[in-house]
Amino acid sequence: MNLILLGAPGAGKGTQAEVICDALKIPAISTGNMLRAAVKAGTEYGLKAKAAMDAGALVSDDIVIGILKDRINEPDAQNGFILDGFPRTVPQAEALDAMGVTIDKVVEIYVADEKIQQRLSGRRVCEVCGNSYHVDFKPTKVEGVCDGCGGKTVIRKDDEPATVLDRLKTYHEKTAPLKDYYAKQGKLVTVEGQEEVSETSKLTLKAIEG
Ligand code: ADP
Ligand code: ZN
């Protein structure tokens, strides 16, 4: 099963991608995580991507499409995958179609903008493995320490309030049109993000089964 998770930054796509990954045993592929790893490693496309990411803008389609294509050709992705944060523009969705990838379902996690701002201010990420947490909704067992690897959890640079506004604007302009794109193909299902993460997870799994 090939799935796409759609939603504004901070709507909880990453968390839901992990839930689906555990339930269906297919890898969750996050272009955001891959790009952050590339920035950290100082690779050529990491250097190109960094400025756009820090500013809350999108990285260019050709870079992102290139890394996504390589990733879905890996052996572990041959029985299906969940895309978290890709596609983010209509040209990226068209590129996916051109690769011959069949998408079974697109799950939109909907959270209103006001809530998004509140959520992102509490988000923390592990600087070692990239795991994502939230001080209220998904806290680490020990404050400031990643449950997964023991690394330090920090505030992402692009989660600063001013940058969040830019990211939301980018989402509405560039990414939200994908809802129409996939609704026309009859693939879009919308899940309303709940206060309780576990409640959202139940709705997500139901949306995939149904
Ligand atoms: P979020 O969904 O919380 O905004 P991500 O971790 O998915 O964060 O992405 C972080 C940043 O990485 C984005 O703001 C953007 O700059 C870049 N990025 C990730 N995926 C894409 C994509 N498919 N196309 C363009 N830029 C991307
Ligand atoms: Zn970690």
Side-chain angles (χ1 to χ4, degrees), residues 126 128-131 146 149-151:
C126 172
V128 179
C129 74
N131 268 2
C146 175
C149 78

Side-chain angles (χ1 to χ4, degrees), residues 16-107:
Q16 294 309 314
E18 283 169 29
V19 168
I20 301 171
C21 167
D22 288 344
L24 302 189
K25 311 283 176 231
I26 49 177
I29 298 176
S30 158
T31 44
N33 285 349
M34 286 192 280
L35 287 166
R36 276 186 290 278
V39 169
K40 208 169 148 196
T43 66
E44 194 188 328
Y45 70 74
L47 292 175
K48 282 189 196 156
K50 188 175 187 309
M53 291 175 75
D54 285 349
L58 293 182
V59 174
S60 70
D61 285 337
D62 53 332
I63 291 181
V64 186
I65 290 165
I67 60 170
L68 193 274
K69 193 171 183 180
D70 289 347
R71 180 64 186 88
I72 62 174
N73 283 325
E74 299 268 328
D76 69 328
Q78 299 321 301
N79 291 324
F81 49 75
I82 311 140
L83 300 182
D84 160 20
F86 186 99
R88 242 176 165 99
T89 63
V90 170
Q92 289 178 18
E94 288 167 350
L96 206 51
D97 290 343
M99 287 174 215
V101 172
T102 308
I103 297 300
D104 298 290
K105 238 167 222 178
V106 178
V107 180

Side-chain angles (χ1 to χ4, degrees), residues 125-133 145-153:
V125 291
C126 172
E127 61 181 6
V128 179
C129 74
N131 268 2
S132 195
Y133 300 94
V145 180
C146 175
D147 292 349
C149 78
K152 190 176 161 203
T153 60

Side-chain angles (χ1 to χ4, degrees), residues 159-204:
D159 281 344
E160 311 273 344
T163 314
V164 166
L165 285 181
D166 289 333
R167 286 162 67 204
L168 279 172
K169 193 163 168 256
T170 304
Y171 176 75
H172 291 296
E173 279 174 17
K174 306 266 173 63
T175 309
L178 290 175
K179 288 193 247 174
D180 248 10
Y181 186 93
Y182 289 113
K184 280 189 186 126
Q185 299 179 10
K187 291 176 181 166
L188 184 73
V189 277
T190 298
V191 165
E192 194 145 343
Q194 307 291 311
E195 294 290 333
E196 281 291 328
V197 174
S198 60
E199 291 301 314
T200 310
S201 304
K202 278 183 207 156
L203 295 174
T204 300

